[in-house]
Amino acid sequence: MVALTIGDRATSDIVVRLRTHEGRDDWFYCHSNILIEKSKYFAERLSEDWPTCQIIDSRNCVEVYCQELDFNFHVTALRLLYMKGPLKWHGVRNALGVLQVAIHLGCHQMASDCMEYLEAVPWEEAEEEEILKTIPNLGEQYKGILSRLQPVCDTSLIRIFIFAIRFATSSPPISMRELKTSAQEQLEYLLTEDDDPPLFALDDEFIRSIVKDCIKSLLSRFDSLIESMLTGSVDTVLERKAHEFWSHLCDMSWICQILGKIEMMKDLVHYWLETSANILRAFELVKSVSDDMDVELKLVEVVSKVLEAIGFGNAVVPTMGRISMVKLWLPFVQGVRASIEQDKIRSEEDSPAKLDGEIWQGMESAFVSIILTLPSSDQAAILSDWLRSEYAGYPDLTEAFELWCYRSKVARRRLANLGNPGNGS
């Protein structure tokens, strides 16, 4: 049997007249047996029961009206009726357009093949938006195409959160570092409130317990690393553990973003309070073998988050702890800032050692806030050291100094008024 082809005028017995309301009018020579077999629309139009079937030439020409935008999809659908074997869809947009034509013409097998294709292939963002606009209007049987876009059940959400945050706070091989970074970025995105609410309930106690366990594990590994650095031989510490030290700081800098969103900085702050002296000792060992400022910058990032949590009341720290944090970390931060400034002066181009200006500004505000919470005598000692420091330019503690001066000058009068309530002034 000779294979029939669309447009073969010698063997065709029917014309499909494809027309648009804008005036386009194209004729396609077709075969009624193929159209009737594969299209319910054409089967009805070519049936003896169709009201106009007895009109001369009505069975030899079937008109199909469509929108100009859908014209090419109709042509494709007509050609696909003649194809045997797997159909070629030539992309998501084409398949989506043909699907709508197939539904309109009652080409059920073609519509099923379109649906199967759309379910199986990846979509670009623009294609996804078009699918979201189109599919819901085609009927319930086609909504399975949207299955990948359906909301995930709470059980699955919790499950992926647990595995993702454990991986994001683990110490995988270096070859998996990019995967770990991706997990961190996506977790932060899922917990961010933007145009959509966070995917996870930030006050959920189970979520918080998982985060707490991950922090505990991360800090425990960091603690073990520091201990091994401070007690091991120099040859063991140098180079081999410097990268590991930096990697742990990267993880803590990231976890601060998560802890800030769910208001759980307290655990990290208390650990930092207890371990700051050892962290600085370990840092000095790292710097003895490396001039790279990546470690300093990452350490500044973590310190800034810890100080901000203390300074703005997100973590309550006793007085002696606040004094210790300022005395330990103020000189360190000043030294790093000065090193960056010197590097800029020496370099013709911008220094590669950079930190977001908001980090410096936030840390400066945190120092001021913490200092102003201290006993006046301790404020005086800290401000005296700051005034005589060669790095007095940063952080700018002028606000704290001015308020200390005011408080000191009026202190006796205030106390006298408190002791004598009847003496108002």
Side-chain angles (χ1 to χ4, degrees), residues 117-398:
Y117 173 82
L118 291 170
E119 285 178 324
V121 299
W123 307 333
E124 295 180 358
E125 185 175 354
E127 294 169 343
E128 187 171 301
E129 292 299 324
E130 191 170 345
I131 287 171
L132 277 170
K133 288 190 302 182
T134 303
I135 297 301
N137 301 317
L138 301 183
E140 288 295 326
Q141 66 269 41
Y142 300 102
K143 289 187 177 179
I145 296 173
L146 302 177
S147 60
R148 72 183 72 173
L149 304 177
Q150 297 302 315
V152 182
C153 68
D154 290 344
T155 302
S156 297
L157 283 176
I158 296 297
R159 181 178 176 83
I160 197 168
F161 177 83
I162 292 172
F163 289 123
I165 196 164
R166 283 177 179 169
F167 184 74
T169 54
S170 66
S171 297
I174 294 177
S175 61
M176 300 180 70
R177 185 71 199 183
E178 288 188 10
L179 178 58
K180 177 179 174 179
T181 300
S182 176
Q184 292 176 343
E185 290 173 350
Q186 295 311 309
L187 278 170
E188 189 173 348
Y189 167 71
L190 294 176
L191 290 168
T192 297
E193 183 170 0
D194 42 29
D195 293 338
D196 300 300
L199 196 56
F200 304 99
L202 302 185
D203 58 350
D204 185 279
E205 286 304 318
F206 183 70
I207 292 288
R208 295 171 70 86
S209 69
I210 295 297
V211 175
K212 192 179 183 79
D213 289 343
C214 289
I215 297 170
K216 184 177 179 180
S217 177
L218 173 61
L219 297 181
S220 177
R221 294 198 306 274
F222 188 53
D223 218 30
S224 297
L225 173 65
I226 290 174
E227 184 178 355
S228 69
M229 293 174 71
L230 297 181
T231 58
S233 66
V234 173
D235 291 339
T236 302
V237 171
L238 302 184
E239 294 183 4
R240 185 172 69 84
K241 294 189 176 179
H243 178 79
E244 194 175 347
F245 184 81
W246 171 81
S247 180
H248 278 78
L249 289 176
C250 290
D251 290 343
M252 278 188 277
S253 178
W254 172 76
I255 201 67
C256 284
Q257 308 297 325
I258 303 301
L259 298 178
K261 294 178 187 298
I262 59 179
E263 300 180 357
M264 285 184 61
M265 277 293 291
K266 180 175 65 175
D267 290 345
L268 180 60
V269 168
H270 288 165
Y271 167 82
W272 207 260
L273 182 64
E274 296 172 359
T275 321
S276 281
N278 286 341
I279 292 173
L280 282 170
R281 288 172 60 200
F283 167 74
E284 291 302 326
L285 288 173
V286 171
K287 290 306 294 178
S288 68
V289 296
S290 173
D291 294 329
D292 193 341
M293 292 197 68
D294 284 350
V295 177
E296 283 141 301
L297 298 180
K298 195 56 66 175
L299 187 51
V300 167
E301 285 184 16
V302 181
V303 170
S304 70
K305 298 301 181 184
V306 171
L307 293 176
E308 286 176 22
I310 298 171
F312 304 136
N314 296 322
V316 177
V317 174
T319 300
M320 293 308 298
R322 300 197 304 278
I323 293 172
S324 174
M325 289 296 286
V326 173
K327 288 187 175 180
L328 280 171
W329 292 108
L330 181 58
F332 167 78
V333 169
Q334 288 179 313
V336 174
R337 177 70 177 235
S339 295
I340 292 176
E341 294 301 322
Q342 286 297 320
D343 194 43
K344 286 181 180 178
I345 294 173
R346 289 193 300 267
S347 176
E348 293 182 2
E349 300 178 356
D350 288 343
S351 167
K354 292 181 180 180
L355 273 180
D356 193 317
E358 290 185 3
I359 292 178
W360 295 114
Q361 187 175 358
M363 193 155 42
E364 184 174 79
S365 298
F367 272 122
V368 171
S369 296
I370 295 172
I371 291 170
L372 291 175
T373 67
L374 302 178
S376 56
S377 57
D378 293 296
Q379 290 187 46
I382 292 170
L383 291 170
S384 295
D385 290 341
W386 169 67
L387 287 169
R388 68 168 180 258
S389 169
E390 61 177 312
Y391 305 131
Y394 182 86
D396 184 356
L397 302 181
T398 302

Side-chain angles (χ1 to χ4, degrees), residues 37-66:
E37 177 188 355
K38 297 184 178 181
S39 167
K40 182 179 178 182
Y41 174 84
F42 286 115
E44 291 178 351
R45 289 295 304 269
L46 298 174
S47 168
E48 295 287 347
D49 297 328
W50 190 257
T52 61
C53 70
Q54 302 302 326
I55 300 176
I56 297 176
D57 291 335
S58 66
R59 294 195 62 188
N60 297 324
C61 179
V62 178
E63 292 185 346
V64 178
Y65 281 90
C66 67

